[in-house]
Amino acid sequence: MICIAVLITCHNRKQKTIKCLHALFDQRDIERVKLNVFLVDDGSTDGTGQAINDLFPNVMVINGTGNLYWARGMSLAWQEA
C-alpha cells in the first residue's frame, strides 16, 4: 500500500474545499493508496472547518488563527503531518 500525506490550507472556501476533497477521494484506482489529509482552516467564518469535520471525518482539521495566510498555513499542515 502507498501512503500519501495531502496538505491543504484554506480560509472561507467551504464549497471549494468540499469540492476539492470530493475530487480527491473519488479518484479511480485509489484502493491501494492511503490518503492522510491535513487541512488547516485558518479562522474561517463560513463554517468550512465544521463542514469538513461533518462530511470528511477522516480529514484532520487543524484550526488556525486567521493570520497564517497560505505559506504559514501550509507550514502548519506540514508540521502536523
Side-chain angles (χ1 to χ4, degrees):
M1 177 159 296
I2 298 169
C3 185
I4 299 174
V6 179
L7 311 177
I8 304 170
T9 189
C10 67
H11 176 77
N12 287 338
R13 296 288 186 262
K14 181 166 61 173
Q15 294 308 316
K16 286 185 180 193
T17 305
I18 290 169
K19 186 176 178 179
C20 169
L21 291 172
H22 276 299
L24 178 66
F25 289 117
D26 290 345
Q27 295 180 77
R28 285 191 259 150
D29 299 322
I30 198 160
E31 302 83 33
R32 295 171 297 210
V33 177
K34 180 176 179 359
L35 297 174
N36 294 315
V37 181
F38 300 86
L39 177 121
V40 174
D41 175 28
D42 191 24
S44 294
T45 58
D46 68 348
T48 300
Q50 187 60 53
I52 300 310
N53 279 327
D54 293 344
L55 295 170
F56 303 94
N58 55 328
V59 171
M60 176 184 254
V61 177
I62 306 148
N63 294 310
T65 61
N67 296 316
L68 296 174
Y69 302 98
W70 186 83
R72 288 184 23 220
M74 292 302 288
S75 177
L76 180 57
W78 178 261
Q79 291 170 18
E80 289 292 325

